[in-house]
Amino acid sequence: MLREFICIMCPQGCALQAEEENGKVLEVSGNTCPRGKEYAIQEITAPMRNIATSVKVENGELPLASVRLTGPIPKSKIFRAMDEIRKIYVKAPVKTGDIVIENLLGTGESVIITKTIHKI
Amino acid sequence: MRSVKEVSVAIIGGGPAGLAAAVRLYDKGIKDIVILEREKMPGGILRQCIHDGFGLTRFKETLSGPEYAQRFIDMAEERKIPYITDTTVLEITPDRKIYAASKNGILEIQAKAVILAMGCRERTRGAISIPGERPSGVYTAGVAQSYINLYNKMVGKEVVILGSGDIGMIMARRLTLEGAHVQAVFEIQPYSSGLPRNVEQCLRDYNIPLYLSHTVTDILGKERLEGVVVSRVDEHMQPIPGTEKTYTCDTLILSVGLIPENELSIGAGVTLDGRSKGAVVDENYQTDIEGIFAAGNVLHVHDLVDFVSREAESLADAVAAYIENGELRKCSLEVETDTNITHTIPQKISGEKSFLLSMRVRQPMKNCEIVISQGGQIIKKKNFKKALPAEMIQIPIDAEKLNSSENLEVSAIC
Ligand SMILES: Cc1cc2nc3c(=O)[nH]c(=O)nc-3n(C[C@H](O)[C@H](O)[C@H](O)COP(=O)(O)OP(=O)(O)OC[C@H]3O[C@@H](n4cnc5c(N)ncnc54)[C@H](O)[C@@H]3O)c2cc1C
Ligand code: SF4
């Protein structure tokens, strides 16, 4: 079966075509660089995504600090990951790179702060 | 009596463009500079763009907006470059005097060079005039983004998005992650106005349909939005009677484009380009008012911040030369385009300096060739498998290939 999708690994957004049979990728075309091929194989066998959201901050100059994951996690875990992150409260100050959850849902990836928030 | 502060360079706006220009100027030995920023903190619009995808070109890794901004803030702080926050510039005069409102009253600054780096603002519903009521629940995408990402205020539960700009699509995903139901994105053009990767990762990933050639033709509700009427449009973008469909929703997000923020530039006497909505600049990013320069979203809307930083650095190189020599080479040649290209930056050149030519195509094109020539002589050609209005095209032009007597012609040929 021919599957068509856009590579999201860089802003170029190449249109990929992948020939797939029973979950196995036979051929990839349309990619400008090797990362596109890797992405196509990943996307068909086990799609992964990174997410960005925020956690609540007490005593900060802003009520929220933005966070992201250190790397992509299985797409199917995104909404469960959001539920876990929603439970978090941090106390200001926090700084870019601070870890707020380690090994999120056993994925091996952590949730890190992406915006420094000073105390008020 | 008010004292007038004198500086070599005053930078209006502490976003990525202003910060990158400041750092580069400093490193070139121009240290007598000041950044004026309206908000409490520098960083510009990136502070609310918490998604990742920034910095791939610049830092070879994918960062969130705040992280990208922080790298430049850190560089400015390491160099102790002064920035004054909570300060809104009210006026710039053609002889480069700046009036700004700060916590301590009105600031007056006389600068040898002024860098315009005010960024852009969003088009609003007024600008595109949808008929119907004006209930609450209608937001521009950037405003919704700041409510959710900066102030922890959710905008609504049942959402419709008008316009497929990148920020609208990014907000579709963000709202979905926050538990809202995004029913659909409607785009009046027959193609998406945002990047294909955002259609993929923000809409397709969450099964949010994108309807092309559709627009909102009525807004329902008195106090709070209750729904919108959507119609298909014909090839002239006119709604087709009989295709109306009502969507029940409490929130409408508008992502109908950005326009450079140029009130101050106009006041300073700077000539704007009706196509880019930013200043007319030469290869030095100098406007037609001597000593006033512009880069970043105030000059033309960028899709990638990495290119904003690079543009601001090239500007800073020229400003440093201007400060040192007191003038720059005159640029009297025009950059002309055919109808397939909406606009270029720069619009004027000397023919004696290498520069980066930025442009956008008017509509999606497949297997096209961008041809750059002077007096019929081809200077450079570049092939594109696809060219989209959503993706800025940048082509470096080598001075050695140019002459200094004929205008430059840019065309896109299919
Ligand atoms: C909502 C949104 C989402 C985006 N998403 C992405 C993305 O996903 N990936 C990507 O690479 N790029 C993205 N971009 C583009 C990128 O963020 C911009 O190209 C970049 O931020 C532009 O930088 P700038 O410095 O020109 O403008 P800005 O970041 O807008 O900075 C301008 C600064 O000038 C200040 N200012 C304005 N007027 C005055 C005044 N009168 N006095 C004092 N200060 C003033 C403002 O407060 C602001 O801090 C996005 C842009 C927007 C608007
Ligand atoms: S294939 Fe390579 S160039 Fe194309 S979008 Fe993917 S990462 Fe970018």
Side-chain angles (χ1 to χ4, degrees):
Chain A
M1 191 179 67
L2 185 71
R3 299 249 319 244
E4 291 183 292
F5 44 91
I6 302 290
C7 177
I8 61 169
M9 298 313 282
C10 90
Q12 207 158 335
C14 298
L16 305 178
Q17 294 92 38
E19 193 55 50
E20 175 219 336
E21 219 176 81
N22 306 324
K24 272 194 75 173
V25 183
L26 305 177
E27 204 196 312
V28 178
S29 59
N31 54 312
T32 305
C33 78
R35 288 174 60 207
K37 185 172 180 183
E38 270 170 50
Y39 173 76
I41 295 168
Q42 181 83 68
E43 185 67 6
I44 287 172
T45 48
M48 309 275 280
R49 291 290 185 274
N50 201 329
I51 53 170
T53 179
S54 297
V55 295
K56 292 177 215 79
V57 183
E58 274 172 44
N59 275 328
E61 59 198 350
L62 281 174
L64 294 173
S66 52
V67 297
R68 67 171 167 95
L69 311 182
T70 45
I73 60 169
K75 218 168 151 179
S76 56
K77 290 194 174 168
I78 286 178
F79 283 94
R80 273 165 60 206
M82 281 296 294
D83 289 340
E84 290 304 308
I85 299 169
R86 234 190 296 277
K87 292 179 196 157
I88 302 287
Y89 270 90
V90 294
K91 269 208 172 79
V94 291
K95 62 173 203 309
T96 304
D98 285 358
I99 295 179
V100 292
I101 305 177
E102 239 169 303
N103 191 12
L104 176 72
L105 301 170
T107 57
E109 302 297 342
S110 303
V111 180
I112 57 164
I113 299 276
T114 57
K115 188 191 283 169
T116 296
I117 305 280
H118 301 289
K119 219 162 97 172
I120 36 169
Chain B
M1 220 187 81
R2 276 204 304 254
S3 65
V4 181
K5 188 180 159 67
E6 291 193 10
V7 296
S8 289
V9 186
I11 300 171
I12 322 299
L19 290 167
V23 169
R24 184 66 156 249
L25 278 170
Y26 188 95
D27 290 348
K28 293 217 128 195
I30 313 285
K31 301 185 177 174
D32 177 23
I33 50 185
V34 65
I35 304 176
L36 303 169
E37 169 55 51
R38 181 175 59 193
E39 301 294 323
K40 277 197 183 60
M41 279 162 272
I45 198 79
L46 288 187
R47 292 181 356 96
Q48 69 185 56
C49 301
I50 66 169
H51 55 279
D52 73 347
F54 301 81
L56 260 172
T57 313
R58 180 72 190 212
F59 298 113
K60 304 282 171 278
E61 57 181 310
T62 165
L63 301 170
S64 65
E67 287 170 291
Y68 186 95
Q70 193 63 47
R71 297 220 174 169
F72 282 88
I73 297 170
D74 289 348
M75 286 187 249
E77 286 183 347
E78 277 161 26
R79 290 164 179 75
K80 303 203 167 46
I81 295 172
Y83 53 79
I84 312 179
T85 54
D86 266 325
T87 298
T88 304
V89 174
L90 305 171
E91 192 189 341
I92 305 168
T93 68
D95 53 0
R96 301 178 303 276
K97 197 177 249 183
I98 293 159
Y99 298 92
S102 76
K103 277 185 295 197
N104 307 322
I106 298 285
L107 272 178
E108 234 177 286
I109 298 172
Q110 176 66 53
K112 291 199 186 94
V114 174
I115 297 176
L116 306 173
M118 291 92 73
C120 61
R121 62 188 153 81
E122 295 178 280
R123 287 182 200 272
T124 56
R125 187 164 61 133
I128 51 153
S129 62
I130 308 169
E133 297 287 339
R134 295 289 183 268
S136 68
V138 183
Y139 304 88
T140 60
V143 167
Q145 189 179 43
S146 76
Y147 280 175
I148 296 174
N149 293 345
L150 297 180
Y151 303 110
N152 199 17
K153 267 173 58 184
M154 190 59 182
V155 291
K157 289 201 180 77
E158 282 294 333
V159 184
V160 165
I161 298 183
L162 175 62
S164 58
D166 288 314
I167 318 161
M169 293 198 277
I170 280 160
M171 286 314 294
R173 173 176 65 184
R174 186 79 193 100
L175 285 157
T176 307
L177 288 175
E178 287 296 339
H181 175 223
V182 179
Q183 300 184 25
V185 177
F186 298 100
E187 168 59 55
I188 193 165
Q189 302 280 356
Y191 51 85
S192 159
S193 60
L195 297 173
R197 70 195 298 248
N198 286 332
V199 177
E200 185 79 18
Q201 62 182 350
C202 298
L203 304 185
R204 257 177 87 159
D205 268 8
Y206 299 95
N207 301 316
I208 300 167
L210 167 62
Y211 295 99
L212 301 174
S213 300
H214 276 74
T215 193
V216 169
T217 45
D218 203 1
I219 287 183
L220 312 172
K222 281 242 163 338
E223 311 262 287
R224 176 79 197 191
L225 181 69
E226 287 165 15
V228 294
V229 178
V230 172
S231 304
R232 256 205 359 249
V233 299
D234 61 20
E235 61 271 33
H236 307 295
M237 295 207 279
Q238 293 306 310
I240 303 171
T243 60
E244 298 86 0
K245 214 174 145 188
T246 302
Y247 287 77
T248 306
C249 59
D250 57 25
T251 304
L252 173 65
I253 305 265
L254 305 173
S255 182
V256 291
L258 302 166
I259 5 181
E261 175 79 69
N262 273 301
E263 303 296 312
L264 289 173
S265 325
I266 295 168
V270 167
T271 302
L272 300 188
D273 184 333
R275 304 164 304 167
S276 61
K277 308 275 189 284
V280 172
V281 293
D282 61 22
E283 63 205 17
N284 301 308
Y285 297 97
Q286 186 169 225
T287 67
D288 60 346
I289 302 291
E290 197 187 318
I292 302 188
F293 298 77
N297 277 1
V298 77
L299 180 59
H300 54 149
V301 175
H302 290 250
D303 16 275
L304 289 173
V305 68
D306 307 59
F307 295 164
V308 170
S309 307
R310 186 167 67 186
E311 183 171 284
E313 286 164 348
S314 305
L315 168 148
D317 291 343
V319 172
Y322 176 77
I323 296 290
E324 275 155 23
N325 309 329
E327 61 174 346
L328 290 167
R329 198 182 282 119
K330 291 274 167 291
C331 295
S332 49
L333 307 181
E334 308 271 344
V335 179
E336 296 165 347
T337 66
D338 71 359
T339 52
N340 286 331
I341 309 244
T342 52
H343 69 268
T344 63
I345 298 291
Q347 294 93 335
K348 305 200 90 159
I349 59 167
S350 64
E352 293 170 42
K353 185 183 167 185
S354 301
F355 65 96
L356 186 64
L357 184 68
S358 305
M359 70 193 87
R360 281 183 197 271
V361 293
R362 195 173 299 279
Q363 65 266 324
M365 297 174 84
K366 269 198 177 137
N367 297 319
C368 70
E369 191 172 42
I370 306 270
V371 181
I372 297 153
S373 54
Q374 233 181 354
Q377 193 81 24
I378 293 177
I379 288 165
K380 198 155 188 175
K381 277 203 246 184
K382 201 168 172 198
N383 286 310
F384 290 86
K385 263 199 292 189
K386 61 169 182 137
L388 300 175
E391 293 172 0
M392 186 191 295
I393 295 172
Q394 295 191 309
I395 301 176
I397 308 291
D398 195 349
E400 277 176 22
K401 301 251 170 77
L402 294 170
N403 70 54
S404 52
S405 56
E406 287 168 300
N407 288 344
L408 196 74
E409 291 140 24
V410 186
S411 43
I413 300 160
C414 256

